Amino acid sequence: MPAEAVIRKYSDMVYRIAFARSGNKADADDIYQEVFLRYIRRSPEFRSEEHAKAWFIKVSVNCARKFMSQKQKNAVTVGDWTENLLQDASDANAVESATVEERFLADERKAELYRELQKLDCDTRVLLHLYYFEELKTKEIAKLLHKTDSAVRVALFRARTKLRIQAQEDGALELLSE
Amino acid sequence: MFRKEYRDFMNAVKPEEALVEAVIEMHGELKGASPAEATRTAITTSAAETARAAIATSPAKATRTAASPARAAKPMKMLKVAAIVFCALLVLSAGTVVVDAATGGGVQSLLGIKDSVVAGENKTEVVLKEPEGEENYGGSMETEVEDDGTVTVVITTSDDAPVFSCNFKLEEYNREYQIGTSLKYCNTKEEIAWKVYQQCHRAFSMGTFNEKMRSAIIDELEKVKKEIGTGDEVKDGCAMGVQFMIDEFRTGYGMLEVVEDVVIDRDDVDGDGDCEEVLGLSFFKLDFQVMRLVTERTGQKEFVVDTVAGIPGKYRITMISYAPSLSYYTMKLD
C-alpha cells in the first residue's frame, strides 16, 4: 500500500490513541506527528494489515507515553486544564474555531463523559480506548502493552468500576452504564 | 451503553485535515531524497529522556513545584502571548529553499545536519528582531537554506515574545522536515520550555553529529539564548528550552553515545522507528541503553543499578536476550 494511503488509513486511529492518552488537542497533534515521523523515517515494511495496525498502535502508545511522561513533569493538573477548557468552551462562539475539547464541552453528554474519562489515569484511558473503540481482544492488548492477559482484564474491570463509582458520585451513572 | 457512548465520543476525534496533509506532504518531500536515506540509517536521539534529565537538574524544578495559582489563573493571557504555532511551509525553488510562514497546520522545515560540517567554517549571525505586521497569536519558525549552504532559522512568537534568528553556514546540509507544535496549553514557563526544547530537539535529532558539530551547535545555542534574554514568562521559558538543548549537547546525556558519528536513540534502540519500552519503566531505559552497549561490546550481562523508574534502590538486571532486529528485549529485574 502506498505510504500516503497508509497515513490516511491510520491517521484517525493514531490520533484517537494520542487523544485518549493526552486528553487535549495540542498534545494529540504533537504525538500524531511523532508517530508518523517515525513511520516516514523508517518506512517499515508491513507484512499484513494486522501487522501495520499493530505497529501503529504500539508506536502510538509508546510515543504518547513518552511524550506525556515528560509533559507530566511540567503540566498543570488535569483539574486545572479541564477548568481551562471549560473557560475556553464558554468563550468559544465560533464553531469552526472550536477545538476538539471545546466541541465536546459544547455537548453536555460528551462533556460529562470527557470529564469522567479525564479522571482516570492516562494508561487506563488508552486501555479503554483499545478495548472499546479499537475493539482489540484483551490478549491482543496484552501483547501490545507487554502485559499479561489477566492484568489487562483486571485493569479493565477496575477501570469500569472506577468509572461507575465516579459517575455515581457525579450523577452521570446512566451515561456510563454497561 | 458505555461502549456506544464512548464510540460516539471518540468518533468525533480526528486530526485536522491540514495536519494529515502536512504529514503526507512531508512524506512526499522526503521520498527519494538521499539525505533521508542517511537519516534513516542514523538512529536519532530521544527528546523525553534528555529533557527529563535537564529538568531534573535545572533550577526550573524548584520553580515548577512552586508554580503559583496566580500564574495558572492567567491562561487566556498566556494563550495569546505564548501560543507559538510553529508552522512554516517549505517551498523548494531552484537552488534555494524558501520557507513561508503559514497560518497553521503547515509543514515546518528544520535542519537535519550532516556530520560533514566543519565547525571552523560555521558562520553565525544572531539577530533580535521585533515582530512585524499585525498582532499575531501564532508565530512561526522559518528556515532558509541557500545554495551555498547558508541556513537561516527565524523563530517568531507574538507580542512581547522573543524573536530571534540564527544562521549556520554549512558545507553540506541535509534537509529534513518537522511539523509544528503548539503552546496553547502552556501556562508556565516550564511548559513553554518543554515545547521549545522539543522543537529544537526535533531539528537537531534529524541528523548525525560528530564532536566538532556538537561544539559548534552549543556555541550557536548559547548565543541564541543570550539573545532571547529574560524578563517575562515567555522569554524565560524559551530560554530555558534552549538551555535544555544546550545541556543535552554539552553533557551528552541525551546523545550519550556518538558511535562513529551515529547518534543512538535511547528509546529506539533497534532503529526500527518504534520506541521500545523496557518493562514499561521509562527511567530504566536510560540505564538500559548503556547496558545494551556494554553487553554488545564486552559480553557483560549482569548489571546493578541504583534507580529504576525513579525509585532508588539496588537492582540487579540480567540481560537475557537481545535481538537488534526485534522490538523486544528480555531482561530480568531482581
Side-chain angles (χ1 to χ4, degrees):
Chain A
M1 191 186 291
E4 182 177 339
V6 171
I7 292 169
R8 288 210 176 272
K9 183 176 173 67
Y10 294 104
S11 261
D12 289 356
M13 184 188 78
V14 167
Y15 196 81
R16 283 172 184 139
I17 292 171
F19 186 83
R21 177 93 190 186
S22 66
N24 73 77
K25 180 182 179 301
D27 292 339
D29 284 353
D30 277 350
I31 295 163
Y32 172 90
Q33 292 167 39
E34 286 295 335
V35 172
F36 282 105
L37 278 167
R38 283 173 183 273
Y39 170 69
I40 290 166
R41 278 180 194 163
R42 305 300 177 199
S43 302
E45 295 288 333
F46 298 123
R47 294 185 298 275
S48 61
E49 278 199 21
E50 291 71 30
H51 181 212
K53 186 177 178 183
W55 190 92
F56 276 109
I57 290 176
K58 189 179 174 195
V59 174
S60 302
V61 169
N62 282 345
C63 283
R65 182 184 294 164
K66 188 173 100 167
F67 185 90
M68 297 310 294
S69 69
Q70 175 54 44
K71 187 167 188 285
Q72 212 167 26
K73 289 186 168 295
N74 295 329
V76 288
T77 63
V78 166
D80 286 342
W81 67 255
T82 303
E83 288 310 309
N84 291 345
L85 288 175
L86 288 167
Q87 182 61 46
D88 286 355
S90 67
D91 292 345
N93 47 22
V95 174
E96 57 271 20
S97 70
T99 65
V100 174
E101 303 96 302
E102 289 160 359
R103 288 202 299 275
F104 284 161
L105 292 168
D107 179 329
E108 196 177 328
R109 214 172 164 79
K110 284 190 169 65
E112 201 69 62
L113 182 55
Y114 180 75
R115 286 194 194 92
E116 297 301 336
L117 287 169
Q118 296 316 312
K119 290 177 187 172
L120 300 174
D121 67 79
C122 44
D123 280 330
T124 305
R125 291 201 299 267
V126 170
L127 192 63
L128 286 172
H129 180 77
L130 295 179
Y131 186 75
Y132 283 108
F133 194 90
E134 297 301 335
E135 299 194 322
L136 297 183
K137 293 181 172 63
T138 53
K139 279 183 184 171
E140 293 171 316
I141 297 172
K143 193 177 173 187
L144 283 166
L145 302 183
H146 297 186
K147 293 177 188 293
T148 62
D149 185 30
S150 57
V152 171
R153 287 170 186 276
V154 168
L156 277 171
F157 173 75
R158 286 180 180 159
R160 284 191 293 255
T161 306
K162 191 173 178 185
L163 267 174
R164 198 168 294 124
I165 292 168
Q166 280 177 193
Q168 198 164 21
E169 288 171 357
D170 299 341
L173 193 58
E174 183 196 344
L175 185 74
L176 298 162
S177 60
E178 279 289 344
Chain B
M1 183 68 176
F2 174 68
R3 184 182 293 271
K4 183 182 176 306
E5 290 286 350
Y6 186 77
R7 291 186 68 83
D8 286 350
F9 173 81
M10 287 307 277
N11 267 324
V13 177
K14 290 180 180 177
E16 287 173 11
E17 186 56 24
L19 187 64
V20 180
E21 290 290 342
V23 169
I24 290 170
E25 188 176 344
M26 181 169 59
H27 175 267
E29 293 284 356
L30 287 174
K31 194 178 174 185
S34 57
E37 288 295 327
T39 54
R40 191 169 296 147
T41 56
I43 307 172
T44 54
T45 192
S46 141
E49 306 289 357
T50 47
R52 181 184 299 127
I55 290 167
T57 55
S58 79
K61 192 176 179 183
T63 56
R64 181 173 63 253
T65 53
S68 70
R71 183 176 290 166
K74 52 176 183 179
M76 293 311 290
K77 183 186 173 207
M78 290 305 295
L79 291 185
K80 290 180 179 178
V81 174
I84 305 173
V85 182
F86 291 110
C87 47
L89 178 64
L90 186 76
V91 181
L92 284 172
S93 60
T96 304
V97 179
V98 182
V99 181
D100 291 330
T103 52
V107 175
Q108 181 179 29
S109 83
L110 293 174
L111 305 178
I113 300 164
K114 288 181 79 172
D115 57 358
S116 54
V117 172
V118 179
E121 296 184 14
N122 285 357
K123 180 183 171 185
T124 303
E125 183 185 351
V126 180
V127 185
L128 189 64
K129 293 180 183 175
E130 289 300 324
E132 292 176 359
E134 60 188 23
E135 193 176 21
N136 167 14
Y137 295 149
S140 68
M141 184 164 184
E142 301 176 25
T143 307
E144 282 187 31
V145 184
E146 293 175 27
D147 51 8
D148 67 350
T150 302
V151 181
T152 306
V153 180
V154 183
I155 297 178
T156 59
T157 63
S158 58
D159 297 327
D160 57 342
V163 179
F164 63 86
S165 72
C166 53
N167 294 341
F168 299 86
K169 174 74 182 291
L170 309 179
E171 270 195 336
E172 292 182 54
Y173 60 89
N174 176 6
R175 278 191 304 109
E176 279 290 356
Y177 298 80
Q178 284 284 356
I179 36 189
T181 189
S182 164
L183 296 192
K184 182 170 182 183
Y185 294 106
C186 292
N187 287 326
T188 66
K189 63 185 177 187
E190 288 79 15
E191 291 172 34
I192 294 169
W194 156 235
K195 289 282 191 175
V196 168
Y197 165 79
Q198 193 184 36
Q199 281 304 110
C200 285
H201 193 281
R202 282 176 175 173
F204 291 116
S205 69
M206 282 296 189
T208 56
F209 297 86
N210 59 24
E211 288 304 317
K212 283 181 182 174
M213 188 67 212
R214 181 153 71 174
S215 108
I217 290 173
I218 289 171
D219 291 344
E220 304 301 327
L221 291 174
E222 287 285 9
K223 289 175 189 172
V224 166
K225 188 185 152 207
K226 195 174 172 187
E227 291 297 329
I228 291 172
T230 55
D232 64 35
E233 203 90 332
V234 179
K235 285 184 179 181
D236 289 352
C238 288
M240 193 186 294
V242 174
Q243 183 62 49
F244 289 167
M245 197 68 224
I246 293 170
D247 290 346
E248 173 164 335
F249 277 115
R250 180 168 287 143
T251 62
Y253 197 48
M255 298 177 185
L256 177 68
E257 286 290 334
V258 183
V259 182
E260 294 174 354
D261 292 343
V262 173
V263 181
I264 304 284
D265 187 341
R266 291 172 181 282
D267 292 312
D268 180 17
V269 289
D270 57 6
D272 69 349
D274 195 345
C275 42
E276 284 76 32
E277 291 280 347
V278 180
L279 302 177
L281 307 172
S282 55
F283 277 87
F284 182 41
K285 286 186 298 183
L286 286 170
D287 303 320
F288 170 71
Q289 174 59 18
V290 176
M291 285 186 285
R292 180 218 143 193
L293 289 166
V294 172
T295 302
E296 271 189 333
R297 290 170 189 181
T298 70
Q300 182 183 335
K301 289 187 176 175
E302 282 201 2
F303 304 88
V304 176
V305 298
D306 55 12
T307 305
V308 169
I311 304 165
K314 283 287 174 194
Y315 303 88
R316 190 176 68 229
I317 294 162
T318 309
M319 184 85 80
I320 296 170
S321 67
Y322 155 65
S325 59
L326 300 175
S327 296
Y328 298 98
Y329 300 80
T330 310
M331 305 180 86
K332 185 181 165 198
L333 180 66
D334 299 314

